[in-house]
Every structure is written in structure tokens, then in C-alpha cells.
Amino acid sequence: MEILMSIVVGILFTIATYLVLSKSLLRIIVGTGILSHAAHLLILTMGGLKQGAVPILSENAKSYVDPLPQALILTAIVISFGVTSFFLVLAYRSYQELGTDNMDQLRGNKSYE
Amino acid sequence: MNNFVILPILLPLLTGIFLIFLARKVNAQRVVSLVSAIISIVIAISLVIEVKTNGIQVMQASSWDAPFGISIVADMLSSLLVLVTSIIVFSVLIYSFKHIDEGRERFFYYPLVQFLIVGVNGAFLTGDIFNLFVFFEVMLMSSYVLLVIGGTKIQLRETIKYLLVNVIASALFVVAVALLYSVVGTLNIADISQRIAEIDQPAIITVIAILFLVVFGLKGAIFPLYVWMPGSYYAPPIPILALFGALLTKVGIYSILRTFTTLFYHHPEYTHSIMLYLAILTIIFGCIGVLAYMDVKKIIIYNIVVAIGVILFGISIMNTESLAGSVMYTLHDMLIKSALFLLIGMMIAKTGTSNMKRMGGLMHQYPFLGWLFFIAAISLAGVPPFSGFAGKLMIIQGAFKAGHYAGGLIVLFSSLIVLYSVMRIFIYAFWGEKKEYELAPEQKKDTRFLLLPISILIAVSIAYGIGSEAVYTYVSDAVQVLTNPSDYIQAVLKE
């Protein structure tokens, strides 16, 4: 199971890298979304995917799945929510102000002279 | 167990929350943040004294024993960094009162500075690797907003890049933590260190160590990963730039110092020699950038890169002298970089340009500013009575002792280039004929008040240079912990 998940995570990282390297800003933001998705999936996988009950004590099971990675993922998810929403608003605002979403035109080499 | 340790995090957090309610009352915000900054300095000084007299201070959050809860750990290194941070914040806040425009002040500038400090102090004091990630995000989130606040075109454009780089770095940090967790099964730094020592750092841990080097190198701007910095740091207003230049990259460097002395120190012939070459390349590329520009902001920004290279070089040698040198140099560099950014901010305010070719003859009008800049410049280069000397001396001593003569000579030579780059600013801007500057009427403000925070920073830096001997007694305590991770582990896991 871990091997399958590792391959999926690898594919997600590939897609994210490809999208982040593209020119359009929205594609880049989609890329960062997939990147954080891959990172969260990787925490879950690396915590171990063995069989066990959900980590609720009232289940009275013999073994539970590891609760720590789930807490880490929950933290990482809300952080990346916050950052992504800020990024989207930033992209919207800069589209209004700068009139482009093409990263080639956002280089800004000229203004340093 | 000592709840006092968490105060450097708690105080700015509470102040920041309180300031949100005062958003439209600019004067009240100024008073509250200034009072909070003064209390922070007092707290930081007493923390340093406490650590000096009673050893490493640890707070276990909610009294959960060490590997299971979150530990807040103040050793001498963290306490000194917290102290320097609070001094810098105090000066930059005073500078902001006159320099930041009211529009920004009304839109949460002061709360954001407080939240930035929460992140920085938290990153210095935490004893948990995932908690370090969270404090990094607190710091970065505030820095995104501080970078874009005001919303000019250049700020929008550069914030996109800065944000993207840091989103990727954060994802890599999460990946690195996930991989480390899968190998050692714990997140507490002391506990991780113990377990890595038990399994004697197998190859997979070395891979994770390099991944951490990439992550912290992205935050701390080391050689192949510094390219985001010159553009992004060019955008924000001067007080924000001074905070960034002094604090953000140093948090990355601190994290490298902490992880590579406490966790990944078993195979230095591999990890630390990679770091050594990266450090030397960082110095060289920083020097090239320092020489290439006529723009004063760019020159100081590339000086950050050079300093990062020097500190990293000291860390990669890993003997007592070079680590002590790195710590000394980090503290000095934080002070002097913020002072230099504030100084060039004042020069830009006087002349209306950041191109040094268009400046000239400032010495006639503003001699005090000129001499302050001169002192800052020679301190930066490391001329003996001033603050940059002792750190670099020890780094080079350490390098020669370890047989890295070429590296030591490159560090020496880089000082020469750094001195040339800042002296060039001094000569262009302060000597020569007086020039007429076209300033918009709203730019012709009274700026004498701005000299006060700069003088504070320069005074602290001079005292630091002259009192190196006294400072060294504290720094040697910090290095004692860095070279013997068992002290750190025992302090955290003792119960």
C-alpha cells in the first residue's frame, strides 16, 4: 500500500513541478495546491498505513492508526489554506494593477535602472 | 520547568492581538508597540541572565513530558538571538514612527510587526521540529503581508515571487519532516537527536539532512537558492526591509546551525563538506553582486548574501572556534545590517534616489549621518575595534586550525570586497560636490528624529565590538551546547 501511495505522491510532485514552471500565474497557483496535496499525502504515508481503528478511544480496538501524522496534516492543511487564499487574492489584485498574469512580463528587469 | 521561557513569544502575540483592536488609532498603536518592545528587551535580558546562571531553561507545554508534548527550550544561543531581535525591533519601531506613511500604519502595520516577532522568537526558542515549521509559517505569513502592504506595483510583483518560493520551501519542509518522522518516529529535537545517535545516522538520514539544508537554505539565501532575495527585498519600504534583512535570513541560518549541530553531526565529512563548498560559493556570488550595482539598496542586500556565506562557512567547519565565530558574527550582522538599511533609508529620504551616482556631498549637510555610516561601514568589514572583527577572526582561526586555508583566505578577501562596496557608497554619497535634489514636497520631511534609532543600533554595535571579551563569555556557553548535544538532550529529556 505504501508503495502505491509513494508512486501517487511522486506523480503529484511531477505535475506540481510542471505547473509551477509554467508562465500563467493561475497555473502556478494550481501547482502549489497540488504540491501541498502531495506533501500532506506523504505525511500520511510516512506515518504508516497499517490496519487499525480510527484514533477515537471509544472504539475500544486492539490497535489504532497513528494519530500524530493526522494532527500534523490538519495543521499543514489550514496553513496552506491560509497561504493559498492570500496567494489567490494577491494574484487577483496584481491582475487588476499590473494588467497581466504572464510571469514573463512580471520580471521587472527594467525598473532597477 | 520554567514558564518564563515562553514570554518572548507570548508578549508580542498578545500585543499583536491587542493592536488589532486599535487599528484606526495610530498614536495608541505606536505607544502600545513601543511599550511592548521595551518590555521585550527587559524580558530578553533577564532570560539571558537566567540561562547564564542556571543553565538551559526548558518549558514543557501543558506539563506533558518531553518527547510527547512541545518543549520550549532557551539555551544561550536562542536567548542571545532573542535579545538582539528585541533590540532591533525596538529601533526599527522608532524609525517606523516617522518613516512609514499613515496609510500603512492604519492598515495593521504594527500588529504585523508583532506577529513577525512571534514567528522569529518562536523559531529561535522551539524544541520541536514541526513546531519550528509552524513558527516559520507565522513568520512568513506576516512577512508576505508586510512585503505587500501598501500595494504598489513593484511590491505586488515581488510578493508573488517571494510567496511562491516560500510556498515551495514550506512544502519541502513538510516533506522533510514527514521523512524524518518515518525514520525516527518522533518530532522533539532532543529525542530525534538521541535516536539518530542510536542508529548512527544511516544514509537515509543523510539524505534528509541535505533536504533540510535545501529547505533552510531557501529561507536563509545560500548559494544556488538565494536568487529570490535581491528582487524581493528591493520592494518593501525601508523599515520593513531592515526587519527582513536583519531577522528572516538569520532564522534560516539559526535552523541550519541547530539541526546540523544537534541532529545531523555524525557524518560531517559528507554533509558539512557540501555545506563548506556552498558557503564559499555563496560568499563569491555575494561579492560579485556587491560589486555589480550602483544602487545602494542592492549593494546592502547582496551584503546579506556575503554574510550568510561567512556564517555558513563557520558552521561547516564545526570546531569550537569557528562555531563561536559564527555565533558572534550572526549577532553582529543582525545589528549592523538593520543599522545599514536604516542609514541608506535616510540617505534615500534626503536625496530622493537610491542610485549612488546621483548622490553627492552629503557630508557638508549631514555630518552626523556621514560619520554614523562610516562607523557602520567599517564595522561591517570587520575593522578591529568594532563589532565585525571578533567573529570573523574566530571563523578564520577555526578554518586555519581545521586546515581549510583556501576557505579562510576567501573569507579574508571577501572582507576587503565588502569594505570596498560600502566605502564606495560612502565616497559617492558623502564626498564630492553638493548636488541639488528634486524632492516632491511631501518628501521634504524633518528626518532628524530618524537618527535616534540608528544611533541606538550603532551604539549597541560599538559596545558589542569593544566588549567582545565580555560577550564571548556568553557565546562560549552557547557553543558549549552546540558542540555537546548531550547537554541539550539532557536538559530537555531529564525528567
Side-chain angles (χ1 to χ4, degrees):
Chain A
M1 193 61 187
E2 277 91 346
I3 291 176
L4 187 67
M5 291 297 267
S6 307
I7 293 168
V8 171
V9 169
I11 293 170
L12 285 174
F13 268 108
T14 318
I15 297 169
T17 313
Y18 176 74
L19 284 173
V20 166
L21 293 174
S22 59
K23 273 185 188 169
S24 154
L25 188 52
L26 269 182
R27 286 168 71 102
I28 291 174
I29 298 176
V30 172
T32 60
I34 294 175
L35 188 67
S36 53
H37 194 59
H40 301 153
L41 213 53
L42 189 73
I43 306 182
L44 194 68
T45 314
M46 288 293 128
L49 295 172
K50 289 169 201 72
Q51 296 287 319
V54 287
I56 300 172
L57 281 179
S58 60
E59 294 282 311
N60 289 324
K62 278 205 178 102
S63 69
Y64 294 91
V65 292
D66 191 350
L68 193 58
Q70 302 190 7
L72 301 189
I73 294 170
L74 195 60
T75 314
I77 284 175
V78 290
I79 289 173
S80 70
F81 264 173
V83 175
T84 308
S85 54
F86 184 77
F87 203 174
L88 281 167
V89 175
L90 181 69
Y92 179 61
R93 179 74 195 274
S94 52
Y95 180 69
Q96 284 180 323
E97 293 275 323
L98 306 165
T100 178
D101 77 329
N102 187 336
M103 290 309 282
D104 253 2
Q105 290 170 345
L106 292 175
R107 277 183 175 177
N109 297 342
K110 283 171 193 156
S111 62
Y112 297 152
E113 282 154 20
Chain B
M1 190 70 178
N2 185 350
N3 289 334
F4 186 68
V5 178
I6 204 168
L7 272 183
I9 307 171
L10 210 55
L11 179 73
L13 181 66
L14 294 177
T15 315
I17 293 170
F18 183 59
L19 285 175
I20 291 176
F21 296 107
L22 299 175
R24 297 291 175 266
K25 299 188 184 70
V26 172
N27 279 326
Q29 285 199 70
R30 288 175 178 174
V31 172
V32 172
S33 34
L34 193 65
V35 170
S36 161
I38 292 168
I39 299 173
S40 311
I41 294 181
V42 175
I43 289 173
I45 290 174
S46 33
L47 187 63
V48 169
I49 294 168
E50 179 78 20
V51 174
K52 179 77 186 163
T53 45
N54 296 331
I56 301 173
Q57 297 295 308
V58 184
M59 193 207 88
Q60 313 288 7
S62 308
S63 294
W64 283 88
D65 279 344
F68 306 114
I70 287 173
S71 322
I72 305 288
V73 188
D75 64 347
M76 189 45 95
L77 175 62
S78 312
S79 320
L80 287 174
L81 287 167
V82 167
L83 175 60
V84 174
T85 304
S86 56
I87 293 171
I88 290 167
V89 171
F90 174 68
S91 317
V92 172
L93 273 176
I94 299 178
Y95 194 89
S96 310
F97 295 160
K98 286 279 173 185
H99 198 282
I100 288 279
D101 51 304
E102 191 158 337
R104 287 192 173 95
E105 283 182 315
R106 289 166 72 91
F107 276 90
F108 305 106
Y109 171 74
Y110 293 111
L112 284 166
V113 171
Q114 297 295 330
F115 290 132
L116 186 81
I117 304 317
V118 174
V120 171
N121 281 350
F124 287 148
L125 288 172
T126 187
D128 183 284
I129 199 91
F130 195 77
N131 202 228
L132 180 66
F133 165 74
V134 175
F135 277 122
F136 260 110
E137 290 301 314
V138 172
M139 174 185 91
L140 289 171
M141 198 71 191
S142 340
S143 72
Y144 303 149
V145 188
L146 279 174
L147 192 57
V148 82
I149 191 173
T152 59
K153 284 187 176 174
I154 177 169
Q155 282 179 298
L156 286 168
R157 197 181 66 210
E158 296 303 334
T159 307
I160 290 174
K161 297 170 195 170
Y162 179 74
L163 183 54
L164 178 61
V165 167
N166 282 303
V167 166
I168 294 168
S170 303
L172 286 179
F173 198 165
V174 172
V175 168
V177 170
L179 293 174
L180 191 60
Y181 180 70
S182 79
V183 180
V184 296
T186 176
L187 294 168
N188 185 300
I189 291 177
D191 201 25
I192 298 173
S193 171
Q194 214 172 28
R195 299 214 185 173
I196 290 178
E198 276 166 18
I199 53 177
D200 195 31
Q201 193 169 349
I204 181 70
I205 294 282
T206 306
V207 173
I208 295 168
I210 298 298
L211 191 55
F212 271 109
L213 185 63
V214 170
V215 170
F216 296 138
L218 268 166
K219 318 265 184 197
I222 65 175
F223 158 60
L225 308 166
Y226 74 89
V227 283
W228 56 270
M229 199 174 83
S232 298
Y233 278 21
Y234 196 82
I238 288 294
I240 300 174
L241 175 58
L243 278 180
F244 283 16
L247 303 178
L248 297 195
T249 49
K250 303 305 179 299
V251 177
I253 279 293
Y254 163 79
S255 308
I256 292 178
L257 187 54
R258 179 64 77 202
T259 47
F260 281 82
T261 53
T262 314
L263 304 181
F264 312 119
Y265 58 90
H266 299 280
H267 291 294
E269 72 281 355
Y270 189 73
T271 47
H272 289 67
S273 62
I274 286 184
M275 230 152 73
L276 183 79
Y277 291 116
L278 288 181
I280 289 172
L281 285 169
T282 311
I283 295 173
I284 293 171
F285 277 78
C287 285
I288 294 173
V290 152
L291 296 176
Y293 290 93
M294 294 305 276
D295 188 307
V296 287
K297 265 194 201 172
K298 283 265 162 170
I299 293 174
I300 308 296
I301 289 170
Y302 273 101
N303 266 309
I304 301 177
V305 180
V306 180
I308 293 291
V310 171
I311 298 166
L312 193 69
F313 178 75
I315 298 170
S316 67
I317 305 273
M318 271 292 266
N319 54 27
T320 319
E321 285 87 357
S322 73
L323 283 175
S326 282
V327 174
M328 294 278 284
Y329 197 75
T330 311
L331 299 174
H332 140 81
D333 194 64
M334 290 167 82
L335 285 169
I336 211 74
K337 283 284 147 54
S338 49
L340 272 171
F341 278 121
L342 298 183
L343 279 164
I344 60 166
M346 199 162 159
M347 284 157 61
I348 293 169
K350 297 285 186 204
T351 60
T353 174
S354 64
N355 188 331
M356 63 187 183
K357 269 187 187 162
R358 286 193 223 131
M359 299 176 181
L362 286 174
M363 204 55 155
H364 302 296
Q365 282 171 290
Y366 312 107
F368 188 57
L369 177 69
W371 288 115
L372 280 182
F373 188 88
F374 182 74
I375 294 172
I378 56 176
S379 314
L380 181 71
V383 174
F386 297 104
S387 57
F389 175 67
K392 251 182 202 168
L393 178 72
M394 279 189 279
I395 290 178
I396 291 163
Q397 263 181 349
F400 283 177
K401 203 174 156 193
H404 291 290
Y405 295 102
L409 289 175
I410 287 173
V411 171
L412 275 176
F413 193 66
S414 79
S415 315
L416 213 58
I417 293 176
V418 164
L419 180 64
Y420 172 69
S421 74
V422 275
M423 275 304 150
R424 211 162 55 130
I425 300 179
F426 183 71
I427 290 168
Y428 268 99
F430 289 97
W431 289 1
E433 286 298 300
K434 201 182 145 201
K435 290 185 184 168
E436 287 302 314
Y437 303 111
E438 290 166 18
L439 287 174
E442 75 270 13
Q443 284 176 304
K444 284 182 183 161
K445 290 187 279 197
D446 182 23
T447 50
R448 270 173 301 178
F449 184 74
L450 296 183
L451 285 169
L452 173 68
I454 302 173
S455 315
I456 294 172
L457 284 173
I458 299 282
V460 173
S461 143
I462 291 174
Y464 182 90
I466 293 169
S468 297
E469 199 74 40
V471 177
Y472 183 73
T473 58
Y474 292 89
V475 170
S476 64
D477 279 17
V479 174
Q480 174 71 23
V481 178
L482 292 177
T483 46
N484 300 309
S486 53
D487 292 4
Y488 185 90
I489 295 167
Q490 243 163 23
V492 178
L493 297 178
K494 63 189 164 200
E495 280 106 31

